[in-house]
Amino acid sequence: ERLAAENKRKEEEERKRREAANNNISTRSYTVNGVSFKMIAVEGGTFKMGATAEQQDPVSDEKPVHNVTLGNYCIGETEVTQALWQAVMGSNPSHFSGSNNPVENVSYNDCITFINKLNTLLSGQLPSGRKFRLPTEAEWEYAARGGNRSRGYQYSGSDNLGSVAWYRDNSGDKTHQVKQKQANELGLYDMNGNVL
């Protein structure tokens, strides 16, 4: 009884600590020109960036493995869909059409233009001082690995690639609708595969 009460107190303290650490970031949904999307809150932390042992890639050029510390941020639950791109940009450059498929055939500069337009269209909905932007390489890798909820999987959310990703052997050489495979520990989809 005493042990259960102590464990409950510790769990509540940890929950409050995490809540305070979020610095007012939270998972939020946005709608632009009738198309909704979700940004997932990622609690910051320290992780080993690069080709770690669980990735089992002896020829990787992502070495040396090194510690990286990140603050809190948000990242898209899925890739940018063609529907969202169309809602913001007014066109769809994708080769593999499908409103819930990821947009592809876009350049870095196209993405920056998209983000700038998205910020303008949603300026009244964003929390004070916040703007959409591309994640850094470290932010993307931390989120793909499951952030501070990581279970150390080889792939983003599983040790079985087919359960979390569309890739050469199961994709039919085309993209697929987002959210068709298992999410990772943070609730993020397609962090491996899909966009070829």
Side-chain angles (χ1 to χ4, degrees), residues 20-196:
N22 269 338
N23 295 335
N24 298 324
I25 67 159
S26 61
T27 295
R28 292 185 59 162
S29 292
Y30 297 92
T31 302
V32 58
N33 293 328
V35 177
S36 296
F37 64 99
K38 188 184 285 186
M39 298 296 290
I40 303 291
V42 179
E43 184 179 335
T46 299
F47 76 110
K48 293 191 179 305
M49 184 173 173
T52 59
E54 70 265 7
Q55 292 177 314
Q56 301 172 6
D57 187 356
V59 295
S60 174
D61 62 354
E62 298 177 4
K63 294 178 182 175
V65 174
H66 57 285
N67 285 335
V68 174
T69 300
L70 298 171
N72 301 329
Y73 60 100
C74 292
I75 193 166
E77 177 185 36
T78 69
E79 309 95 296
V80 172
T81 64
Q82 293 175 33
L84 179 57
W85 188 274
Q86 176 80 36
V88 173
M89 301 293 281
S91 64
N92 182 1
S94 300
H95 175 74
F96 302 106
S97 64
S99 62
N100 286 320
N101 286 32
V103 71
E104 25 87 13
N105 281 335
V106 294
S107 68
Y108 172 82
N109 288 334
D110 294 335
C111 293
I112 296 303
T113 301
F114 168 84
I115 290 168
N116 289 336
K117 287 185 176 186
L118 185 64
N119 280 321
T120 299
L121 290 168
L122 295 179
S123 62
Q125 294 182 43
L126 293 170
S128 178
R130 304 263 183 199
K131 287 189 173 190
F132 294 103
R133 62 175 175 80
L134 292 173
T136 66
E137 181 181 2
E139 287 170 338
W140 185 90
E141 186 170 329
Y142 181 67
R145 290 174 180 244
N148 63 8
R149 297 180 189 167
S150 176
R151 295 188 188 129
Y153 294 125
Q154 183 177 4
Y155 305 106
S156 182
S158 176
D159 286 330
N160 177 341
L161 182 58
S163 68
V164 293
W166 295 108
Y167 65 106
R168 184 181 320 148
D169 293 349
N170 71 356
S171 69
D173 292 327
K174 62 182 181 178
T175 63
H176 293 266
Q177 290 185 17
V178 300
K179 297 175 81 170
Q180 299 301 300
K181 294 290 186 174
Q182 174 184 312
N184 77 356
E185 299 93 325
L186 294 173
L188 302 173
Y189 294 87
D190 298 330
M191 297 299 277
N192 293 116
N194 205 1
V195 181
L196 305 172

